[in-house]
Amino acid sequence: MEKWDFEFFAKHCGDIEVEATLRQGKRQKLLLRDYLNDCKLQAGGDELPYLRGWYYQRDAPWLQKDLWEKGDFHDVAFQDWFKRLPARHHPDFHWLFIGAAGAITPLHIDPSATHAWLSQISGRKRFTLFAPSDLPELLSESGGFKPIADIPVKRQEIVLEPGDTIFVPAHWAHQVECLDDSISVTWNFLGESLFPTVRAAFLANAAKPAYEPEL
């Protein structure tokens, strides 16, 4: 928390190519240094980019040393049952989120029936969450999610301060907004209760024969 800020990443990881997302869902590849500069230049604009879901362990594995070691709290409290599947079925659900004030991750549900925890490193971030029982009220006629301003059901709003960690259970829809320039680390993981269902789905998909066109 004392070390990681935009200047740190520009200096130590600036030459790494990342993929930022614009509000319209378009993706843009650029150097991390240039992305951070764009965050400053476009603060508050409609085209504000957001580096959400950066696979830091792949591109900058040395960052792991600043976070924790194997067996630390996160490894014990949030045991990942994906590890009980063959290694080829382990999804890469460990991410860093780096965004300027105003950057948003739209309403969504996390993949593969996973829970998630997110720790706020720098800045503040607001979560707006909806219970799974309210899912029908969240969907538009086209099948996507409605804007949260148009959703009449009760929601939970939580503001994370630096040092806070939030646990988001599987199937809870949520939207996330950076209230300040923000850096977060998040891991999605598979819980014990949902393991049998996800295991069956992964193994069934792996057992599908390769498609062969008819002659």
Side-chain angles (χ1 to χ4, degrees), residues 161-210:
E161 303 280 348
D164 288 344
T165 293
I166 187 173
F167 168 70
V168 180
H171 309 307
W172 277 69
H174 50 288
Q175 178 168 299
V176 189
E177 179 182 2
C178 298
L179 300 179
D180 309 308
D181 291 350
S182 170
I183 299 172
S184 313
V185 59
T186 185
W187 282 28
N188 282 56
F189 67 99
L190 179 60
E192 180 179 1
S193 63
L194 292 169
F195 174 73
T197 301
V198 175
R199 177 182 182 276
F202 268 68
L203 296 183
N205 185 66
K208 286 183 179 179

Side-chain angles (χ1 to χ4, degrees), residues 75-101:
D75 212 18
V76 176
F78 305 116
Q79 294 186 32
D80 190 356
W81 279 63
F82 271 126
K83 294 179 180 178
R84 295 174 180 253
L85 294 174
R88 66 181 181 277
H89 296 307
H90 294 181
D92 190 1
F93 286 166
H94 304 165
W95 300 294
L96 276 178
F97 287 70
I98 303 176

Side-chain angles (χ1 to χ4, degrees), residues 59-179:
D59 296 337
W62 61 86
L63 293 174
Q64 187 77 7
K65 297 178 181 179
D66 288 344
L67 292 170
W68 46 65
E69 296 179 357
K70 186 175 177 58
D72 282 352
F73 172 78
H74 80 287
D75 212 18
V76 176
F78 305 116
Q79 294 186 32
D80 190 356
W81 279 63
F82 271 126
K83 294 179 180 178
R84 295 174 180 253
L85 294 174
R88 66 181 181 277
H89 296 307
H90 294 181
D92 190 1
F93 286 166
H94 304 165
W95 300 294
L96 276 178
F97 287 70
I98 303 176
I104 292 176
T105 300
L107 191 62
H108 66 285
I109 293 175
D110 285 347
S112 303
T114 54
H115 308 300
W117 59 262
L118 179 143
S119 290
Q120 192 66 12
I121 305 297
S122 176
R124 296 172 303 146
K125 182 169 277 188
R126 176 168 57 217
F127 275 74
T128 304
L129 303 105
F130 298 89
S133 58
D134 291 325
L135 180 59
E137 299 292 333
L138 310 184
L139 298 177
S140 65
E141 293 183 359
S142 63
F145 285 105
K146 299 176 183 176
I148 61 172
D150 298 337
I151 297 174
V153 299
K154 181 179 179 181
R155 77 275 315 270
Q156 303 287 337
E157 288 196 358
I158 299 161
V159 174
L160 295 186
E161 303 280 348
D164 288 344
T165 293
I166 187 173
F167 168 70
V168 180
H171 309 307
W172 277 69
H174 50 288
Q175 178 168 299
V176 189
E177 179 182 2
C178 298
L179 300 179

Side-chain angles (χ1 to χ4, degrees), residues 41-61:
L41 296 176
Q42 301 182 38
D46 291 338
E47 290 293 318
L48 185 66
Y50 191 10
L51 179 55
R52 59 181 199 234
W54 175 32
Y55 297 109
Y56 67 96
Q57 290 176 311
R58 176 193 62 198
D59 296 337

